[in-house]
Amino acid sequence: MPKRSLKTRILQLRVITCIFFILSIKAVLLFFANYGVYKYPHIPAEVLETQLYKQRSPKLVLHKSKPDCKYDEILGSTSSLLNWEVPRRFDDFSAQGLVNGSYAPEHCNALFSVAVVVAYRNRQSQLDIFLPYMHNFLRKQNIHYRIYVVEQQDEKIFNKGILYNVGAKTALGDQFPCLILHDVDLLPLDAANLYACAASPRHMSASIDKFRFVLPYDYLTGGVLALKAQQFVAVNGFSNRFEGWGGEDDDFSYRLAAHKLDVVRFPVAMSRYTMLEHPQERRNSARLQILRDSIRDGGARDGLSTLPPVHVRVATHRLFTLVGVRL
Ligand code: BGC
Ligand code: MN
């Protein structure tokens, strides 16, 4: 082996020191980028059930011979998955009881009707995990629910706010009293995380593995949010003006605050989620400016009431109702 000169060795040492230095800085930055609180304020577990919004869709067929469903066992469950235990394949998934992405328990009359609304585009591999996982999870909860996948079917920049507005309108048409706005890449880990609305809007995904299970900031409502359909309408839905990644959920938080709707959360042990891997979407660099402008009018001039004329096509599949949207 040729002998390395002293100069080469010093140079190599410098390069290694530099790489080490850069990596250390990156680690520190990453730590602070994910800064947040683990013990956020939440509704105490003992009074959770009294805070839930028990409301069924008038469309749910009730059976006089059957009792009302019970929820104390679900809310008291301590069964949880670790994030790496979440199945990534569902080869032998059974669609039993599912019609058009909807389900209602057979042995009892559900006390909750919930529309799970997913804003979606181009994440087929995540949808293939999301749908079977969620149906397996939700069918154990004694609730009446329906999953709406609201897909942007054009080449324009993704507009999550418009998709949520269209999805909410569709679910409202089906007379769902409670909406759960849901990212396609988030999967609940705790069986006790009952998919139901509370008296106040409820931020459900408070503890996500991607954020080291801490809440990044306390007005965050992105990820998974449950709110009464009438609250969604009261705040005029989402802004239609956020294009690309980010900001629309922060704007929605300000809308809720402007209407004096405090956001509540459940305890950490019931609010853990795992996020499916995906590359970071390109951030909308104008989002802070749009947010500043939008906060001023609190949703009064832009939202559900000013939804642009979009083409909507509803199609039903066994595991979901597809709401196709062209801007
Ligand atoms: C974005 C939000 C996003 C949050 C967490 C914020 O910077 O504006 O849209 O939900 O980060 O990722
Ligand atoms: Mn994500």
Side-chain angles (χ1 to χ4, degrees), residues 90-263:
F90 293 86
D91 293 333
D92 54 0
F93 172 76
S94 151
Q96 208 194 336
L98 298 176
V99 183
N100 303 337
S102 177
Y103 174 87
E106 275 193 4
H107 62 285
C108 58
N109 290 313
L111 296 185
F112 303 95
S113 291
V114 174
V116 177
V117 181
V118 182
Y120 172 84
R121 180 163 75 183
N122 206 13
R123 296 258 188 107
Q124 188 64 50
S125 59
Q126 294 189 343
L127 195 61
D128 291 345
I129 300 172
F130 179 83
L131 289 170
Y133 183 88
M134 290 310 291
H135 283 304
N136 282 346
F137 184 86
L138 294 174
R139 277 182 294 186
K140 295 189 190 114
Q141 293 207 332
N142 286 346
I143 58 168
H144 164 224
Y145 70 88
R146 180 163 179 171
I147 298 184
Y148 294 87
V149 174
V150 193
E151 181 179 33
Q152 186 171 330
Q153 295 173 335
D154 59 33
E155 301 308 314
K156 298 197 176 144
I157 307 174
F158 190 62
N159 192 316
K160 199 172 182 179
I162 293 185
L163 297 182
Y164 275 151
N165 285 339
V166 174
K169 275 180 95 168
T170 312
L172 261 119
D174 290 335
Q175 294 179 286
F176 276 98
C178 164
L179 309 175
I180 298 192
L181 311 175
H182 211 300
D183 277 6
V184 70
D185 59 359
L186 290 179
L187 306 174
L189 296 171
D190 306 305
N193 188 353
L194 185 70
Y195 268 53
C197 283
S200 286
R202 171 187 166 207
H203 183 230
M204 296 174 65
S205 55
S207 183
I208 305 178
D209 56 358
K210 160 103 188 280
F211 301 139
R212 300 180 297 118
F213 292 107
V214 301
L215 180 67
Y217 50 92
D218 104 282
Y219 66 92
L220 178 69
T221 55
V224 186
L225 178 72
L227 80 169
K228 297 179 189 176
Q230 72 205 47
Q231 291 166 338
F232 189 90
V233 175
V235 305
N236 200 15
F238 272 75
S239 165
N240 303 299
R241 298 176 52 217
F242 288 85
E243 294 181 327
W245 187 90
E248 79 296 326
D249 51 347
D250 299 325
D251 181 74
F252 196 73
S253 308
Y254 281 103
R255 289 173 182 236
L256 295 175
H259 287 79
K260 308 223 167 350
L261 290 167
D262 289 336
V263 173

Side-chain angles (χ1 to χ4, degrees), residues 254-302:
Y254 281 103
R255 289 173 182 236
L256 295 175
H259 287 79
K260 308 223 167 350
L261 290 167
D262 289 336
V263 173
V264 297
R265 295 189 174 90
F266 281 15
V268 181
M270 304 167 82
S271 308
R272 285 173 294 220
Y273 282 77
T274 185
M275 191 187 280
L276 299 171
E277 302 256 332
H278 61 86
Q280 168 70 44
E281 305 279 348
R282 202 160 58 88
R283 291 183 164 85
N284 172 8
S285 55
R287 71 186 195 279
L288 292 180
Q289 190 53 52
I290 304 172
L291 187 59
R292 272 193 289 270
D293 293 347
S294 181
I295 287 172
R296 255 179 261 133
D297 80 343
R301 279 176 299 168
D302 159 47

